[in-house]
């Protein structure tokens, strides 16, 4: 199976470990993945706060580049790990399909750069690909280092599940649970799986943003979680990088590692910490069961 | 038994701006706004409504009523973290998140926000970053944001910056696409479109609340 890949800005900077671990896991599973050449920003929320129309055009250029990169008749899905990019691209796809007036404007704009958009590319999240294209059976067959005894809280966040995705349930998501369970982990019963982490409010309106993140962390901790698994670079950043600040703010001593689900999968596949960007985590991965690096 | 004290300012109907709802609802599927039944599901679902001065349900009613100044100067639209909980639960399928962003865009365009308030500044810097080079340079964005809002916070953030640097997650490198001219051409077409659209918005159309 082969896919096109849209990393987005975060996966090249603060979320590098997500890219590293995802690519390693994909190659272990024999999935071919090609980065879209000369991709631009998806036009996510901060950009959309200034111009929605231009945000649609940014996403449309990405689709057009992806289409050009493939043979005319070929169809390849675009894998998008970042939740905000996943939403932005899906939103554009949806709006261009439903609104002819908008579609005409965007076509005209793309035309100025000799680009064409037909909408034949689907946007897929790695969780979707791993569950539905690869399958749990294949994934568990590669298990060499079971995550036994590790209590994991699976955090999906918001934009991955709402409002355009159709691969999981937005209230009771389970695709990440299933993957990590198949690799030996125990999944913590934690009802905040898809509750908002505060997004960029942690940096802009900090007392509110940190409070939202703290609620997630503390609830997970109270339920005996060893590691929080995430699928979004901003969720990972908020829950991990601001953890010491939350402790100061709320006079607490939480020390929960927050890893990308792809890092945990890689560990179970026996990949090296370097391949998975483990050294980029602020809080070292240790579990109650005493594994080093789990 | 006693009466509740009424502290709210009186709003007179003649001071309202009926065109406001037209402007907000001009986004795709924005006309759904007029089918709101004020059930409050959005406010109940919103993880941020307890920090807002007006709940999401109230914001819809205010938009429909033409309370432009109150909506644009409220804290609500800034606090929307776009988690889409409201949008997926709304029984009338109103895309409230998109409506919040339409209001946010208008507030930014009209400059209705306190000086040095980080959210519009972040949006502007991000927008400029992407329009110039096609990509966002995270490190530069954060630095510019701190310098333009509260430079003293640079000290506060130094520890975090250092740890990000040490783990290879922070860089001041300018990220850019190769074909910047191509992107500029695309966006230029829409700048013209946008102006045409604004004129359309001003043309008499649907009556507010109909």
């Amino acid at each position: 199976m082969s896919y096109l890949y849209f990393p987005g800005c975060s996966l090249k900077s603060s979320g590098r470990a997500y890219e590293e671990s995802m690519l390693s896991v994909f190659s272990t599973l024999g999935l071919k993945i090609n980065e879209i050449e000369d991709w631009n920003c998806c036009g996510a929320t901060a950009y959309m706060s200034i111009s929605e129309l231009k945000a649609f055009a940014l996403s449309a250029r990405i689709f057009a580049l992806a289409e050009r990169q493939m043979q005319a008749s070929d169809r390849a899905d675009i894998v998008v790990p970042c939740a905000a990019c996943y939403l932005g691209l899906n939103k554009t796809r949806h709006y261009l399909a439903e609104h002819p007036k908008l579609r005409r404007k965007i076509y005209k704009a793309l035309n100025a750069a000799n680009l064409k958009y037909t909408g034949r590319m689907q946007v897929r999240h790695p969780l979707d690909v791993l569950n539905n294209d690869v399958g749990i059976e294949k994934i568990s067959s590669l298990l060499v280092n079971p995550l036994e005894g590790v209590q994991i809280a699976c955090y999906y966040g918001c934009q991955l599940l709402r409002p355009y995705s159709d691969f999981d349930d937005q209230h009771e998501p389970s695709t990440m649970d299933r993957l990590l369970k198949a690799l030996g982990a125990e999944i913590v019963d934690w009802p905040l799986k898809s509750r908002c982490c505060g997004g960029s409010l942690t940096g802009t309106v900090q007392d509110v943003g940190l409070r939202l993140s703290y609620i997630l962390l503390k609830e997970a901790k109270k339920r005996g979680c060893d590691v929080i698994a995430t699928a979004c670079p901003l969720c990972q950043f908020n829950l991990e990088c601001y953890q010491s600040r939350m402790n100061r703010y709320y006079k607490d001593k939480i020390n929960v590692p927050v890893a990308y689900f792809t890092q945990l999968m890689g560990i179970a596949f026996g990949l090296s910490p370097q391949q998975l960007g483990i050294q980029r985590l602020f809080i070292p991965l240790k579990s109650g069961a005493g594994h080093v690096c789990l | 038994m006693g009466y509740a004290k009424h502290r709210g300012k009186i709003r007179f109907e003649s001071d309202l701006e009926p065109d406001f709802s037209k402007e907000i609802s001009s986004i795709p599927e924005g006309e759904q706004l007029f089918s709101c039944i004020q059930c409050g599901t959005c406010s109940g679902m919103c993880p941020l409504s307890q920090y807002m001065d007006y709940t999401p349900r109230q914001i819809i009613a205010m938009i429909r009523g033409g309370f432009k100044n109150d909506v644009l100067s409220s804290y609500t639209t800034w606090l929307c973290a776009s988690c889409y909980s409201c949008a997926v639960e709304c029984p009338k399928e109103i895309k409230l998140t998109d409506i919040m962003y339409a209001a946010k865009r208008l507030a930014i365009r009209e400059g209705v926000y306190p000086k040095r308030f980080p959210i519009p500044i972040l949006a502007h810097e991000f927008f400029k970053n992407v329009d110039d080079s096609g990509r966002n340079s995270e490190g530069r964005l954060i630095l510019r944001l701190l310098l333009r809002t509260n430079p003293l916070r640079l000290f506060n953030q130094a520890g975090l910056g250092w740890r990000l640097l040490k783990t290879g997650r922070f860089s001041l490198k300018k990220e850019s696409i190769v074909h910047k001219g191509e992107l500029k051409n695309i966006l230029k077409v829409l700048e013209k479109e946008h102006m045409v659209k604004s004129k359309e918005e001003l043309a008499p159309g649907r009556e507010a609340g109909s």
Side-chain angles (χ1 to χ4, degrees):
Chain A
M1 269 176 279
S2 104
Y3 300 89
L4 287 168
Y5 166 49
F6 176 72
C9 306
S10 293
L11 268 80
K12 297 289 180 187
S13 48
S14 60
R16 283 172 73 184
Y18 194 6
E19 171 170 84
E20 290 160 344
S21 55
M22 189 202 73
L23 294 180
S24 302
V25 163
F26 269 48
S27 97
T28 306
L29 290 165
L31 302 171
K32 285 204 191 78
I33 181 160
N34 288 314
E35 192 168 318
I36 296 173
E37 286 158 26
D38 207 36
W39 56 267
N40 53 265
C41 163
C42 69
T45 45
Y47 189 95
M48 201 177 80
S49 309
I50 306 283
S51 169
E52 190 176 45
L53 190 62
K54 283 188 174 183
F56 286 131
L58 287 178
S59 282
R61 177 175 182 266
I62 296 162
F63 282 116
L65 293 178
E67 290 185 16
R68 195 171 63 183
Q69 202 166 321
M70 295 302 295
Q71 297 296 325
S73 56
D74 280 355
R75 215 207 77 201
D77 295 339
I78 305 173
V79 174
V80 184
C82 167
C85 301
Y86 179 80
L87 169 80
L89 288 171
N90 261 324
K91 181 179 171 186
T92 299
R93 204 169 175 278
H94 171 85
Y95 274 76
L96 290 186
E98 308 274 317
H99 301 278
K101 229 168 110 185
L102 177 70
R103 189 166 60 226
R104 275 196 297 276
K105 283 181 193 171
I106 299 296
Y107 278 10
K108 206 173 126 193
L110 286 177
N111 205 22
N114 278 324
L115 284 171
K116 266 204 182 77
Y117 167 88
T118 65
R120 68 180 207 267
M121 303 283 189
Q122 297 276 352
V123 180
R124 310 275 306 275
H125 191 268
L127 279 174
D128 177 9
V129 170
L130 293 170
N131 269 276
N132 299 317
D133 294 5
V134 180
I136 300 289
E137 215 170 296
K138 166 94 194 263
I139 286 166
S140 45
S141 76
L142 288 167
L143 177 63
V144 293
N145 177 26
L147 304 171
E148 254 162 40
V150 186
Q151 300 281 336
I152 299 182
C154 293
Y155 184 46
Y156 298 76
C158 49
Q159 299 194 336
L160 186 60
L161 303 168
R162 294 185 291 264
Y164 299 111
S165 75
D166 51 8
F167 69 88
D168 211 334
D169 186 275
Q170 65 124 333
H171 295 292
E172 285 292 331
S174 61
T175 45
M176 200 194 304
D177 300 39
R178 265 181 273 149
L179 287 177
L180 296 175
K181 210 171 177 176
L183 299 174
E186 280 167 44
I187 307 301
V188 180
D189 179 24
W190 179 58
L192 305 179
K193 286 173 170 183
S194 66
R195 194 186 144 102
C196 174
C197 70
S200 56
L201 291 173
T202 48
T204 51
V205 187
Q206 217 165 43
D207 49 342
V208 174
L210 289 184
R211 192 173 144 119
L212 262 76
S213 279
Y214 178 73
I215 292 169
L216 298 174
L217 268 183
K218 186 71 177 179
E219 187 67 44
K221 186 77 198 159
K222 278 174 177 285
R223 288 167 184 260
C225 136
D226 297 320
V227 187
I228 296 179
T230 59
C232 164
L234 187 55
C235 298
Q236 199 281 338
F237 191 95
N238 280 342
L239 294 180
E240 186 195 40
C241 302
Y242 284 122
Q243 209 171 110
S244 57
R245 192 160 303 188
M246 286 183 243
N247 281 331
R248 246 179 294 147
Y249 232 77
Y250 294 100
K251 299 191 173 52
D252 211 329
K253 285 185 191 135
I254 301 176
N255 190 38
V256 180
V258 184
Y260 293 108
F261 77 97
T262 40
Q263 290 181 303
L264 298 168
M265 287 182 73
I267 290 170
F269 289 166
L271 303 180
S272 76
Q274 268 69 30
Q275 282 174 288
L276 303 169
I278 302 288
Q279 75 282 7
R280 302 193 193 283
L281 294 175
F282 282 19
I283 303 165
L285 275 175
K286 256 185 252 159
S287 79
H291 292 64
V292 180
C293 188
L294 281 184
Chain B
M1 281 278 279
Y3 294 102
K5 279 185 188 159
H6 293 281
R7 291 197 193 83
K9 222 170 100 187
I10 301 173
R11 263 64 167 178
F12 293 97
E13 220 169 309
S14 50
D15 295 334
L16 300 179
E17 299 187 45
D19 276 349
F20 178 50
S21 62
K22 243 182 278 171
E23 195 164 359
I24 295 288
S25 65
S26 69
I27 58 168
E29 296 168 45
E31 65 283 356
Q32 280 294 105
L33 175 66
F34 299 101
S35 62
C36 173
I37 52 170
Q38 288 287 297
C39 67
T41 303
C42 47
S43 303
M45 291 307 297
C46 178
L48 284 141
S49 58
Q50 60 173 309
Y51 312 105
M52 294 168 169
D53 44 1
Y54 296 106
T55 62
R57 177 190 64 82
Q58 286 174 311
I59 288 289
I60 296 200
M62 287 158 70
I63 293 173
R64 284 203 305 202
F67 292 79
K68 182 173 175 178
N69 288 336
D70 300 86
V71 171
L72 295 195
S73 55
S74 97
Y75 214 59
T76 299
T77 47
W78 302 117
L79 281 183
C80 170
S82 49
C83 78
Y84 290 85
S85 297
C86 54
V88 295
E89 293 300 331
C90 175
K92 288 293 189 179
E93 297 177 3
I94 299 167
K95 297 199 163 146
L96 184 48
T97 315
D98 292 344
I99 288 167
M100 288 284 185
Y101 271 80
K104 202 185 279 195
R105 278 195 294 278
L106 203 58
I108 292 179
R109 207 189 315 152
E110 302 199 354
V112 190
Y113 49 83
K115 218 175 157 185
R116 294 180 180 275
F117 186 50
I119 297 175
I121 295 176
L122 176 78
H124 270 302
E125 290 292 335
F126 190 99
F127 185 79
K128 222 165 50 190
N129 232 325
V130 173
D131 268 15
D132 285 350
S133 62
R135 286 185 196 172
N136 172 38
S137 311
E138 254 181 22
R140 283 165 174 255
L141 177 75
I142 291 164
L143 204 62
R144 292 277 304 162
L145 177 68
L146 290 175
L147 287 173
R148 284 192 59 190
T149 51
N150 184 359
L152 287 176
R153 263 187 73 201
L154 276 173
F155 295 105
N156 191 336
Q157 302 280 5
L160 175 60
W162 171 242
R163 293 189 80 180
L164 287 169
L165 203 65
K166 236 177 35 183
T167 48
R169 295 166 67 174
F170 183 87
S171 142
L172 288 175
K173 202 180 119 217
K174 192 167 168 63
E175 303 290 337
S176 174
I177 60 171
V178 181
H179 299 105
K180 286 195 268 189
E182 182 183 288
L183 185 65
K184 285 216 164 82
N185 287 342
I186 295 174
L187 298 177
K188 217 188 305 166
V189 175
L190 294 173
E191 262 153 37
K192 284 182 215 148
E193 283 288 342
H194 205 80
M195 279 185 284
V196 176
K197 195 178 163 219
S198 308
K199 272 184 213 152
E200 274 170 18
E201 281 165 11
L202 297 172
R206 176 212 307 270
E207 283 299 313
S210 67

